[in-house]
Amino acid sequence: MTNNKVKQWFPDMTKLYKPYCYEHLISNEKGQVCVYCPLVSTFNDGKIHEQIVDYDFEGHIRKFRLISSPVRDSSGSIIYGIELIEDITDKVNSEILLSEKNQQLESANKFLADSEKALKNILYDMKEAHEKLKNTQKQLIQSEKLASIGQLAAGIAHEINNPVGYINSNLSTLGKYIESFTEILRAVEIFQVYFKDDQIDKAKNVLNELYEFERNNDIKYMISDVDNLLRETKEGVDRIKKIVWDLRTFSRADMGERKLSDINKIIEGILSIVWNEIKYKANLKKEYGEIPLIDCNPQEIGQVFINILVNAAQAIVDKGLITIKTYNDEEKVFIEISDTGIGMSEEVSSKVFDPFFTTKEVGKGTGLGLSISYDLVKKHNGDIYVKSVQGQGTTFTIWFPIIRR
Amino acid sequence: MHKHKILLIDDEQPILNALTRVFHNSSYELFTATSAEQALGFLERNNIDLIICDYQLGGMNGIDFLENISKDNPDIINILLTAHADLDMAIDAINRAVLYKFIMKPWNDNNLLITVRRALEQRDLIIENKRLMNEIKKRDIYIKQLEKESPGITDIKRDDSGNIIIE
């Protein structure tokens, strides 16, 4: 018995004419029971069998699933076999398609995951590179700062060794004064003893010796000088203290922190560091305005002033004038540093903020001073610009924003 | 006794004051100048024997200054006192400024006193030597003149025991 579907597949098959399925299969040329027939196996062992086979329908290969099961009578003997034939071609095809799609999806996923990983790596590398760059810039600023201190070292040594020179000398002079004073005190003591004992002659002798000692050693000069000596020595110590303090404030490697700072005070501190570069070259005119505090890193701002002031002094050939002016409007604090030096051509002044641009001899300038100054001012949301007339002088103007709280 | 004259030049008054104290009780006559111009004034009016000069003078450096004055005053002893020195400066100083000594700030008072004393002794010896050489030259000329006028007069004859024989 067959159902409609089988009739559709094997239209010629009837109970009388070629009743077995294998008789209709093109692929089965021998006309015998197919070797894989599950029904045969079911008849043999009475169990359910399953087989998947390909049939060739005039060139179209279709896939079939054959399931055979036994039908038994009351005694248990097998009387029929039932074969279920299912065309699973479409099902299988869609499964393959699905698995292919799945595979594609999976590999797409993998690709995505890989890409993400790669991106993360790139991001990490970039972060690292950025960090490195930031560090390098920090180091560059510090090196430039140290280089500028190095170039200032001769001047700073001069500024320190001069007071050390006279402090040292004054102290050893003072030692000699004290020796003499001690000598006199000792004589006075001896005089007092003789005087108490009424040994007037001996006392007189001591007194005469004392007078002679005073004459010989110019004690009057010592007494008149000692106040001056101490005052000058103290002033020398104060000078050194100030230079060392300003230098330390400026050169600390920690780069300092941002804080509300008085720009006028920063300039004053920097002036004591660069004073030796300026004092023989220029008179200094300070026009400090009463300006509000600025949120800034005093060391970084100091570095900017050092660069501009040293350049100003170097631009002056013989003797000139450097003017420092500070003032403010509603939003900004301005600092103007002008010199009466040789000035710059337009070509030079347009390049002064370029890194490694320098007009100085090899070894005299890094070519980074003003470039770093520019960066530092920009970092503080300010601006710096230059106006120069050849033969007349140069003016640098810097401003910083006032932050109202 | 001839009092030696020392000229101290430094643009910082406290340095001049300290040096003045160092030389105060010694037998020198001191002049102090805070600038090259002032120092030139002293040099014109006085017979300066020795100069102690700072490197950094207002307007001019000590080496240029000493080189300039050495041309007209070759006998003056030059000592450079400087708060900072590098090789270039040292070479420059030795080659141009005809230096007796190169002294760094801070200086040592006793060493400075000894240096100055020795320098002046040496200078005195040189001047004395020059004076004596001149003296000898003069006498030589005189003797030659005598010989010309009276030939044989400067020729001294002695006998075997060293006695002068007058003919």
Side-chain angles (χ1 to χ4, degrees), chain B residues 19-151:
Chain B
L19 290 170
T20 303
R21 288 181 186 110
V22 173
F23 291 107
H24 176 72
N25 225 8
S26 55
S27 56
Y28 307 121
E29 195 177 341
L30 290 181
F31 300 87
T32 59
T34 51
S35 71
E37 294 76 30
Q38 207 186 349
L40 285 174
F42 283 122
L43 279 166
E44 275 168 26
R45 288 192 298 273
N46 301 281
N47 275 324
I48 299 293
D49 295 294
L50 182 144
I51 295 175
I52 298 176
C53 183
D54 183 23
Y55 175 70
Q56 277 189 305
L57 301 170
M60 182 189 254
N61 78 45
I63 294 172
D64 291 338
F65 175 76
L66 292 176
E67 186 185 25
N68 277 341
I69 62 120
S70 291
K71 285 172 191 158
D72 297 330
N73 309 276
D75 288 335
I76 297 181
I77 292 166
N78 298 329
I79 293 173
L80 193 72
L81 188 61
T82 176
H84 170 75
D86 55 33
L87 189 59
D88 288 343
M89 188 210 277
I91 291 170
D92 209 25
I94 287 166
N95 290 343
R96 291 203 290 120
V98 202
L99 280 196
Y100 176 78
K101 272 265 155 87
F102 193 101
I103 296 176
M104 295 286 294
K105 289 175 185 172
W107 66 91
N108 176 300
D109 290 352
N110 283 334
N111 288 351
L112 188 65
L113 279 169
I114 292 168
T115 301
V116 167
R117 203 185 65 213
R118 284 207 183 134
L120 288 171
E121 278 170 7
Q122 193 182 325
R123 180 173 186 272
D124 287 350
L125 283 176
I126 291 169
I127 289 172
E128 181 70 359
N129 195 22
K130 271 188 188 168
R131 195 183 62 78
L132 289 174
M133 290 297 282
N134 271 332
E135 194 72 14
I136 289 170
K137 262 188 203 162
K138 261 192 244 163
R139 287 188 187 194
D140 206 36
I141 291 167
Y142 178 64
I143 286 169
K144 275 181 183 156
Q145 189 63 36
L146 265 184
E147 178 70 27
K148 213 174 172 185
E149 286 165 8
S150 322

Side-chain angles (χ1 to χ4, degrees), chain A residues 153-155 157-159 161-170 172-173 176-177 216-218 221-222 225 228-230 232 235 239 276 279-280 319, chain B residues 10-22 24-25 54-60 81-86 104-110 113:
Chain A
H158 187 269
E159 287 300 294
N161 277 339
N162 264 322
V164 169
Y166 63 77
I167 289 166
N168 189 50
S169 177
N170 284 347
S172 66
T173 301
K176 282 174 193 153
Y177 287 6
N216 287 344
N217 289 280
D218 210 347
Y221 168 80
M222 293 187 190
D225 180 51
N228 285 338
L229 183 151
L230 286 173
E232 285 170 15
E235 280 167 10
R239 253 173 75 183
N276 198 60
K279 66 175 170 183
Y280 299 113
K319 187 100 186 178
Chain B
D10 199 301
D11 63 332
E12 290 207 33
Q13 191 62 45
I15 295 269
L16 292 176
N17 294 350
L19 290 170
T20 303
R21 288 181 186 110
V22 173
H24 176 72
N25 225 8
D54 183 23
Y55 175 70
Q56 277 189 305
L57 301 170
M60 182 189 254
L81 188 61
T82 176
H84 170 75
D86 55 33
M104 295 286 294
K105 289 175 185 172
W107 66 91
N108 176 300
D109 290 352
N110 283 334
L113 279 169

Side-chain angles (χ1 to χ4, degrees), chain A residues 1-14:
Chain A
M1 283 194 302
T2 58
N3 61 11
N4 288 338
K5 196 74 191 176
V6 175
K7 274 179 187 152
Q8 199 182 309
W9 289 333
F10 306 116
D12 302 336
M13 189 193 225
T14 62

Side-chain angles (χ1 to χ4, degrees), chain A residues 51-311:
Chain A
Q51 197 68 46
I52 288 167
V53 296
D54 291 337
Y55 287 126
D56 192 344
F57 283 94
E58 290 156 355
H60 300 289
I61 309 270
R62 294 195 72 87
K63 221 174 240 326
F64 291 88
R65 178 195 271 144
L66 316 173
I67 299 170
S68 62
S69 50
V71 179
R72 301 170 191 272
D73 62 9
S74 51
S75 65
S77 333
I78 298 168
I79 49 172
Y80 303 117
I82 296 175
E83 191 170 85
L84 281 169
I85 303 164
E86 188 185 3
D87 182 347
I88 58 169
T89 313
D90 295 339
K91 208 171 156 187
V92 166
N93 279 348
S94 63
E95 259 171 23
I96 287 168
L97 202 70
L98 205 67
S99 89
E100 269 173 13
K101 289 274 177 216
N102 265 339
Q103 252 172 19
Q104 276 175 12
L105 214 65
E106 247 172 50
S107 68
N109 263 339
K110 196 163 171 291
F111 177 73
L112 262 175
D114 285 350
S115 306
E116 201 193 340
K117 212 172 156 190
L119 263 173
K120 265 184 186 162
N121 279 338
I122 290 168
L123 194 71
Y124 180 79
D125 287 350
M126 276 179 71
K127 263 186 188 165
E128 213 176 29
H130 181 65
E131 213 42 49
K132 264 189 195 159
L133 261 173
K134 257 166 67 182
N135 270 331
T136 310
Q137 203 209 9
K138 253 188 199 173
Q139 281 169 7
L140 201 66
I141 291 174
Q142 180 69 4
S143 323
E144 201 280 329
K145 196 164 74 179
L146 292 179
S148 71
I149 290 181
Q151 280 159 13
L152 297 173
I156 293 167
H158 187 269
E159 287 300 294
I160 289 178
N161 277 339
N162 264 322
V164 169
Y166 63 77
I167 289 166
N168 189 50
S169 177
N170 284 347
L171 285 179
S172 66
T173 301
L174 189 64
K176 282 174 193 153
Y177 287 6
I178 287 169
E179 256 173 52
S180 296
F181 295 161
T182 313
E183 201 67 32
I184 290 168
L185 280 178
R186 217 175 281 144
V188 168
E189 268 172 27
I190 296 166
F191 170 82
Q192 282 171 337
V193 172
Y194 286 147
F195 192 73
K196 257 189 204 157
D197 291 355
D198 270 342
Q199 301 187 40
I200 300 299
D201 285 345
K202 282 188 178 173
K204 267 188 179 169
N205 276 343
V206 173
L207 210 57
N208 282 334
E209 275 170 30
L210 189 63
Y211 288 146
E212 206 190 322
F213 179 81
E214 281 192 1
R215 266 196 308 277
N216 287 344
N217 289 280
D218 210 347
I219 300 298
K220 269 187 188 152
Y221 168 80
M222 293 187 190
I223 291 169
S224 70
D225 180 51
V226 77
D227 279 347
N228 285 338
L229 183 151
L230 286 173
R231 184 176 41 77
E232 285 170 15
T233 306
K234 175 79 173 53
E235 280 167 10
V237 171
D238 289 344
R239 253 173 75 183
I240 297 168
K241 262 165 67 182
K242 182 168 184 347
I243 295 163
V244 171
W245 173 259
D246 291 333
L247 206 55
R248 201 182 55 177
T249 312
F250 171 67
S251 61
R252 273 195 305 236
D254 60 12
M255 299 303 290
E257 283 171 358
R258 278 208 181 195
K259 55 185 172 200
L260 282 175
S261 315
D262 182 345
I263 295 281
N264 293 340
K265 269 192 191 155
I266 296 176
I267 296 173
E268 277 297 300
I270 289 309
L271 278 174
S272 86
I273 296 175
V274 298
W275 184 232
N276 198 60
E277 313 301 314
I278 295 177
K279 66 175 170 183
Y280 299 113
K281 292 302 265 313
N283 291 318
L284 195 60
K285 199 164 135 200
K286 301 178 200 172
E287 296 175 14
Y288 295 152
E290 276 187 31
I291 47 173
L293 300 179
I294 290 298
D295 181 36
C296 69
N297 178 333
Q299 284 193 46
E300 294 181 343
I301 298 310
Q303 196 167 354
V304 175
F305 294 146
I306 282 195
N307 284 321
I308 294 173
L309 284 167
V310 169
N311 283 342

